[in-house]
Amino acid sequence: MLSVKKNSSILFKTLLIIGFGYFFWLMLKITLEYIPLKPNVSFLMIKQSEVTARKEYLWFFYTHVYTSIFVLLSGFLAILRKDFGLKNFHRNMGKVYIFLILIFAASSGIYMGFFANGDFYSKISFIILGGLWWISTFKAYQFARQKKFKEHKQWMWRSFALTVSAITLRMWKVIIVYLFHPNPMDVYQIIAWMGWIPNIILIEYLITKKAI
């Protein structure tokens, strides 16, 4: 029985790494589209009004895009923790993760939320997302400093659930467009909320059930 559980755990972790690796590669490809710095490629093609009217927009955009890919990676590596012999590495990756979110990624995300596509409802969602991302990460940092590691772990999971909204948002977009073919602006209003709310609900359920 123990052998079955151990094998199942190894299989789950292996699939988790493979799945994350695939989606991380997709996110990395998106990030690489903005190297070298160009104001008229990919997503920026539909943000030219902001690019031309607000000189600071590009800097917030690049800050968010470039730091978020490292946030995603460092957060995942921190979660692997001692299960893969990375106990000390977990601490270092956690520091990188927290620093990048609190100083760069969340604040730039909040700024970009004010100019999100999809009108008022999308803007509100991305601003709330950025705020909750910063708060949950700061709470995780506080509890780590206080050596309350149970609470630290729970808040780090909440933070990472918001981090992976970058992935789940795009997954929902593909599903919704494939099934319903809605207007592009309607899609933004839907995925702006679907990208992170189901993630948080799932994490809260797992925390309640003490599954993580």
Side-chain angles (χ1 to χ4, degrees):
M1 187 67 176
L2 289 175
S3 178
V4 172
K5 286 185 177 180
K6 183 178 180 180
N7 290 336
S8 298
S9 176
I10 293 173
L11 177 61
F12 173 76
K13 290 170 185 175
T14 302
L15 292 174
L16 183 65
I17 291 173
I18 294 172
F20 177 83
Y22 172 73
F23 287 110
F24 178 78
W25 169 243
L26 294 180
M27 293 299 298
L28 182 60
K29 286 176 65 177
I30 293 173
T31 303
L32 292 175
E33 292 177 357
Y34 303 104
I35 301 175
L37 303 183
K38 292 181 180 179
N40 57 350
V41 295
S42 194
F43 176 76
L44 290 175
M45 290 293 291
I46 60 173
K47 304 299 292 183
Q48 288 302 298
S49 59
E50 286 81 6
V51 169
T52 55
R54 299 180 175 275
K55 295 186 181 300
E56 78 279 4
Y57 181 85
L58 275 179
W59 295 109
F60 278 100
F61 174 83
Y62 290 134
T63 297
H64 186 71
V65 169
Y66 294 155
T67 58
S68 291
I69 194 69
F70 291 104
V71 167
L72 196 60
L73 180 60
S74 59
F76 185 74
L77 291 176
I79 285 172
L80 291 182
R81 301 169 66 236
K82 59 185 179 182
D83 294 332
F84 287 85
L86 299 172
K87 186 176 181 179
N88 293 329
F89 192 56
H90 159 74
R91 184 181 296 109
N92 294 329
M93 287 297 98
K95 289 178 180 178
V96 172
Y97 176 85
I98 288 172
F99 174 78
L100 289 178
I101 291 176
L102 295 184
I103 305 301
F104 298 109
S107 56
S108 58
I110 292 171
Y111 171 86
M112 290 175 61
F114 284 97
F115 308 99
N117 296 330
D119 209 0
F120 176 78
Y121 295 106
S122 296
K123 290 177 171 58
I124 289 296
S125 177
F126 285 117
I127 292 169
I128 293 174
L129 168 59
L132 291 177
W133 197 23
W134 194 94
I135 291 169
S136 59
T137 306
F138 184 70
K139 294 286 287 184
Y141 167 74
Q142 280 186 315
F143 282 121
R145 294 277 294 176
Q146 297 167 9
K147 300 189 183 303
K148 296 180 179 179
F149 296 115
K150 178 182 176 181
E151 292 84 354
H152 163 72
K153 180 181 177 182
Q154 292 174 346
W155 281 100
M156 280 293 279
W157 272 110
R158 292 180 177 112
S159 171
F160 194 67
L162 298 173
T163 297
V164 297
S165 66
I167 293 174
T168 52
L169 179 148
R170 288 168 173 83
M171 290 174 60
W172 280 113
K173 180 180 179 180
V174 171
I175 293 170
I176 292 171
V177 170
Y178 178 79
L179 292 178
F180 304 107
H181 309 289
N183 180 284
M185 289 301 106
D186 293 336
V187 174
Y188 274 106
Q189 290 185 351
I190 296 170
I191 64 174
W193 298 94
M194 290 294 291
W196 62 274
I197 289 181
N199 298 7
I200 285 296
I201 292 174
L202 175 61
I203 287 300
E204 291 300 330
Y205 172 80
L206 293 175
I207 290 174
T208 301
K209 294 295 183 181
K210 299 180 179 180
I212 56 174

